[in-house]
Amino acid sequence: MKLLAYATAATLALATPAFAKIATGSTVSDMSVVDSEGVTHNLSDFAGQRVILEWTNEGCPYVKKHYKTDNMQDLQREATADGDTVWLSVISSAPGKQGHKDNVQVAQWKAAYDVASTAVILDEAGDMGQAFAARTTPHMYIIDEDQTLVYQGAIDDNSSSNPATVDGATNYVRAALANLDAGEAVAMSDTQPYGCSVKYAS
């Protein structure tokens, strides 16, 4: 499938309606996105690599839970350590809404929390979020080397915003990556995301 380029024109040509969930196991449409440093990334450029998408919003208590405990950053480092995995944090908060950031604010946030994602995508028009039907922060997706969506859902199985609950939780993303490393199908490939709603413009 062929798709988006919303660096300036917010053009989106999806094979599925906005907010329609992309079925796990389907090929992800190509798209071009722009990160906080002005670099354009095409998903098709990552063919042969795994891509992890993480919707985020610094002001969300559920996001804070995972960043203040370093749970998210540890997972980012662990996942990308092989050099063949790309981690894209995505901010779909519209201007004026919780979690919205410009490039300077992203740099400050990354420094403050030692964020280890490959890049932070600025999606203030919400096109990328709507393409993936991202509903919460965090909301996690894994795309495999064949550009197939192999996981979508929560980061783990504890939907509390209490940081103390990170310990002991089953991390679905880590488990999915372990399945893939072992050459296996992802056992838990579609889970219920939890967190704050994504702060789209409408």
Side-chain angles (χ1 to χ4, degrees):
M1 289 181 279
K2 201 69 183 163
L3 248 290
L4 66 120
Y6 57 87
T8 55
T11 301
L12 180 65
L14 284 171
T16 52
F19 287 97
K21 181 177 176 178
I22 300 174
T24 305
S26 61
T27 301
V28 175
S29 301
D30 192 15
M31 59 182 69
S32 295
V33 296
V34 179
D35 71 19
S36 60
E37 298 183 358
V39 177
T40 298
H41 302 270
N42 300 298
L43 283 188
S44 59
D45 294 341
F46 300 132
Q49 296 177 281
R50 290 179 196 157
V51 179
I52 300 173
L53 304 178
E54 166 216 353
W55 262 262
T56 192
N57 166 0
E58 184 189 7
C60 169
Y62 298 90
V63 171
K64 290 180 179 179
K65 162 188 169 182
H66 293 290
Y67 274 95
K68 288 191 173 181
T69 58
D70 288 328
N71 188 49
M72 191 68 79
Q73 301 95 312
D74 288 347
L75 188 59
Q76 291 166 344
R77 291 189 185 88
E78 186 179 313
T80 60
D82 61 5
D84 287 327
T85 298
V86 175
W87 186 299
L88 302 178
S89 301
V90 184
I91 300 175
S92 293
S93 298
K97 297 203 174 184
Q98 183 191 60
H100 176 266
K101 292 188 182 302
D102 60 24
N103 59 333
V104 173
Q105 292 168 323
V106 167
Q108 293 170 340
W109 171 64
K110 290 179 67 176
Y113 285 94
D114 199 18
V115 176
S117 56
T118 307
V120 178
I121 305 302
L122 300 183
D123 179 45
E124 64 180 31
D127 295 334
M128 185 177 183
Q130 293 182 29
F132 280 89
R135 294 188 286 122
T136 64
T137 52
H139 195 160
M140 310 297 298
Y141 299 80
I142 301 175
I143 301 166
D144 74 3
E145 293 85 344
D146 296 322
Q147 306 261 277
T148 299
L149 184 65
V150 295
Y151 176 77
Q152 60 180 317
I155 183 172
D156 63 26
D157 67 347
N158 195 316
S159 60
S160 169
S161 62
N162 184 349
T165 62
V166 167
D167 288 339
T170 296
N171 191 299
Y172 293 134
V173 175
R174 182 173 285 117
L177 293 174
N179 287 149
L180 295 172
D181 286 343
E184 303 168 349
V186 175
M188 292 284 287
S189 61
D190 200 327
T191 66
Q192 183 70 30
Y194 70 86
C196 306
S197 61
V198 178
K199 310 306 183 192
Y200 293 114
S202 59

